């Protein structure tokens, strides 16, 4: 018999979203006719703009010809796509060699963990996107799960609550090698200010840590004074890796396309460029993103593509505003939904899973329990604003009717 990887055995539960899917399945077995509305996993619902899908089609057609066929592409991604990312999203401030195209930020996070190895210590916002902690556990960066405090020993949890405006009290955070930071934040919806990011970069510098800045929702920032990239902050190039994604920007959750940025200045303790190791990891574990996806990504970054993406983002943010209004009208403390398609709502009389079950049973709405993102998420539910308008409006009607009795 083969011994199970002991690190996998440390994961205390299934990954959050499959767990929710399981509960949904069980509910539907009991009530097969229920008209469930999912505001759970953040998955895009609007069709991809035809300006982009036309490029998929043309690229697929070309692949059927000798002239247009291509096999493996460069592991780091097509040069024209990297140039377009630098131009459209970073005002040409990035060297294209610092951009690595990938099949998704989740996959990039897993590969980053492999690059840093099992000895690296990590800090995460609490609550946070579960992939940072789970990949760290799988790598063996932590010892056992501590059920009393619902944390893994060895990971620094940085509580982000309404009381600290969802920005960690850095003076209380111990030094770690890696700091994960997501802004605009999944799940709380908080978008860090320029001043907060300056503090964060300074903190990483002082501690000689590497910051992994997850900017997957940057395109949802509505306030032009808020930074969209960590590299808008002076000194960030020496401490930060940034992750970006087409998933929520262009509806590519199924297409799969993302990027990471590793500046040339970023070094390990021994002076070795992080860039070189990241390149080595990518060329070993990955053969480049799909050429179809990259062609679509390139179209998305042309002026017409950018306008079409902006329309998608506006649509989801209108959904978010509708949801926000109903919670506010019922006196709930609601955060997010302004610079992110996620709302973070406090349910004062229930644990997160209790509130999840109540909404499921009473009004057939699926949410995501805040505690699934970390102990500081207890008592909150996250609502995703990705959804068809008529479903969001129906969800608002149901919430209106029942929120006061929850
Ligand atoms: C979420 O709901 O948090 C995201 O859609 C999950 C993901 O991006 O992997």
């Amino acid at each position: 018999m083969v011994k199970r990887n002991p690190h996998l055995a440390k994961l205390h539960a299934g990954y959050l979203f499959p767990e929710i899917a399981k509960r949904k399945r069980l509910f539907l077995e009991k009530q097969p006719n229920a008209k469930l509305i999912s505001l759970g996993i953040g998955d895009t619902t609007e069709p991809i703009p035809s300006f982009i899908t036309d490029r998929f089609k043309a690229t697929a057609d070309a692949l059927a010809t000798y002239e247009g066929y291509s096999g493996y592409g460069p592991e780091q991604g097509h040069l024209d796509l990297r140039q377009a990312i630098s131009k459209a999203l970073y005002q040409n401030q990035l060297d294209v060699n610092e951009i690595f195209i990938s099949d998704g930020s989740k996959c990039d996070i897993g590969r980053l963990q492999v690059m840093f190895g099992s000895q690296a210590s990590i800090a995460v916002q609490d609550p946070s996107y579960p992939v940072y902690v789970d990949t760290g556990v799988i790598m063996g960066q932590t010892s056992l799960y501590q059920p009393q405090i619902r944390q893994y020993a060895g990971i620094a949890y940085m509580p982000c609550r309404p009381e600290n405006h969802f920005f960690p009290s850095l003076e209380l955070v111990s030094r770690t090698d890696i700091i994960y930071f997501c802004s605009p934040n999944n799940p709380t919806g908080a978008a860090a200010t320029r001043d907060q990011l300056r503090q964060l970069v300074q903190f990483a510098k002082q501690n000689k840590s590497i910051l992994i800045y997850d900017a997957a929702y940057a395109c949802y920032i509505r306030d032009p004074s808020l930074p969209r990239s960590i590299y808008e902050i002076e000194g960030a190039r020496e401490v930060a890796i940034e992750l970006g994604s087409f998933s929520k920007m262009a509806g590519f959750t199924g297409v799969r396309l993302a990027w990471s940025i590793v500046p040339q200045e970023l070094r390990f303790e021994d002076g070795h460029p992080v860039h070189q190791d990241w390149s080595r990891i990518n060329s070993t574990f990955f053969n480049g993103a799909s050429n179809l996806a990259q062609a679509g990504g390139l179209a998305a970054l042309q002026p017409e593509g950018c306008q079409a993406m902006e329309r998608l983002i506006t649509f989801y943010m209108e959904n978010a505003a509708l949801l926000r209004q109903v919670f506010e009208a019922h006196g709930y403390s609601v955060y997010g939904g302004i610079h992110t398609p996620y709302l973070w709502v406090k349910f004062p009389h229930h644990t997160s899973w209790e509130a999840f079950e109540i909404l499921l049973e009473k009004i057939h709405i699926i949410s995501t329990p805040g505690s699934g993102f970390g102990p500081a998420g207890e008592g909150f539910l996250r609502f995703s604003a990705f959804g068809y308008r008529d479903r969001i409006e129906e969800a608002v009607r149901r919430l209106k009717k029942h929120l006061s009795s929850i």
Side-chain angles (χ1 to χ4, degrees):
M1 294 291 270
V2 177
K3 274 208 184 97
R4 186 177 178 205
N5 177 344
H7 302 314
L8 270 167
K10 283 183 208 160
L11 288 173
H12 73 283
Y15 183 61
L16 180 59
F17 295 109
E19 173 65 27
I20 292 169
K22 189 177 95 193
R23 290 187 186 223
K24 174 177 162 186
R25 234 180 8 256
L26 292 176
F27 176 79
L28 282 175
E29 273 169 29
K30 278 192 310 183
Q31 295 203 40
N33 297 325
K35 299 235 172 330
L36 282 183
I37 298 179
S38 177
L39 306 177
I41 188 166
D43 195 3
T44 46
T45 49
E46 289 299 291
I48 297 173
S50 58
F51 181 75
I52 300 171
T53 55
D54 285 347
R55 280 315 308 163
F56 293 148
K57 287 185 213 158
T59 309
D61 285 342
L63 286 173
T65 67
Y66 280 104
E67 302 73 42
Y69 177 76
S70 62
Y72 293 127
E75 288 100 356
Q76 201 167 334
H78 294 162
L79 181 61
D80 51 4
L81 178 56
R82 287 184 279 134
Q83 282 165 336
I85 288 175
S86 180
K87 181 166 173 220
L89 304 173
Y90 296 93
Q91 296 77 45
N92 271 328
Q93 295 296 304
L94 294 176
D95 175 347
V96 289
N97 291 320
E98 297 173 330
I99 304 173
F100 295 75
I101 308 298
S102 79
D103 53 345
S105 293
K106 197 189 236 183
C107 320
D108 277 332
I109 294 163
R111 287 187 285 262
L112 281 167
Q113 293 281 23
V114 173
M115 176 175 78
F116 290 116
S118 56
Q119 299 306 311
S121 53
I122 66 170
V124 294
Q125 287 156 292
D126 173 18
S128 71
Y129 181 43
V131 179
Y132 314 136
V133 168
D134 287 4
T135 52
V137 173
I138 291 169
M139 278 302 294
Q141 290 168 348
T142 176
S143 50
L144 282 178
Y145 182 66
Q146 301 173 303
Q148 328 76 8
I149 50 170
R150 289 180 294 146
Q151 295 186 353
Y152 284 97
I155 293 181
Y157 289 76
M158 307 185 291
C160 294
R161 297 193 166 96
E163 302 84 67
N164 59 7
H165 306 287
F166 299 103
F167 186 76
S169 310
L170 294 173
E171 66 285 359
L172 304 178
V173 179
S174 49
R175 191 230 166 244
T176 57
D177 296 316
I178 310 299
I179 304 165
Y180 284 97
F181 195 90
C182 174
S183 179
N185 188 261
N186 176 13
T188 66
T193 63
R194 199 168 290 277
D195 186 52
Q196 289 172 333
L197 292 185
R198 276 194 203 108
Q199 292 174 42
L200 188 65
V201 165
Q202 198 51 32
F203 180 74
K205 237 181 199 170
Q206 273 160 7
N207 285 308
K208 300 193 188 325
S209 305
I210 290 180
L211 179 61
I212 298 180
Y213 189 76
D214 186 344
Y217 297 91
C219 58
Y220 284 86
I221 292 180
R222 307 288 82 191
D223 175 351
S225 74
L226 292 172
R228 285 186 170 213
S229 164
I230 193 67
Y231 303 118
E232 292 180 38
I233 307 301
E234 201 186 328
R237 288 182 57 85
E238 289 111 65
V239 294
I241 291 173
E242 180 161 302
L243 304 177
S245 171
F246 285 85
S247 284
K248 312 294 158 64
M249 183 167 85
F252 275 27
T253 49
V255 173
R256 312 305 304 146
L257 193 67
W259 67 92
S260 59
I261 297 164
V262 181
Q264 304 282 1
E265 289 91 327
L266 191 64
R267 304 277 151 155
F268 287 111
E269 188 187 60
D270 64 359
H272 189 82
V274 175
H275 184 277
Q276 269 181 29
D277 279 6
W278 187 228
S279 180
R280 183 73 173 85
I281 289 283
N282 275 290
S283 53
T284 306
F285 280 75
F286 186 53
N287 257 335
S290 148
N291 41 19
L292 297 173
Q294 294 192 71
L298 183 58
L301 295 174
Q302 306 313 306
E304 203 173 332
C306 289
Q307 281 165 16
M309 290 194 298
E310 200 48 44
R311 284 194 289 276
L312 288 182
I313 291 164
T314 304
F315 175 86
Y316 292 128
M317 293 314 290
E318 286 166 0
N319 282 351
L322 291 172
L323 289 167
R324 248 192 95 97
Q325 277 158 17
V326 71
F327 286 112
E328 280 173 346
H330 286 79
Y332 278 74
S333 298
V334 45
Y335 308 92
I338 292 175
H339 302 295
T340 41
Y342 296 126
L343 285 89
W344 188 242
V345 183
K346 177 77 182 159
F347 284 75
H349 309 302
H350 301 286
T351 66
S352 298
W353 279 108
E354 280 168 6
F356 169 88
E357 290 291 348
I358 291 170
L359 288 192
L360 179 59
E361 295 285 337
K362 268 195 159 173
I363 55 175
H364 304 170
I365 285 181
I366 295 180
S367 55
T368 307
S371 56
F373 297 98
E378 185 57 278
F380 286 87
L381 287 181
R382 190 196 76 173
F383 294 87
S384 158
F386 293 111
Y388 305 120
R389 182 60 51 81
D390 60 339
R391 307 301 284 152
I392 297 287
E393 285 170 347
E394 172 59 18
V396 165
R397 275 192 289 277
R398 292 184 196 175
L399 287 164
K400 226 180 222 165
K401 234 173 160 178
H402 293 276
L403 267 184
S404 45
S405 62
I406 290 174

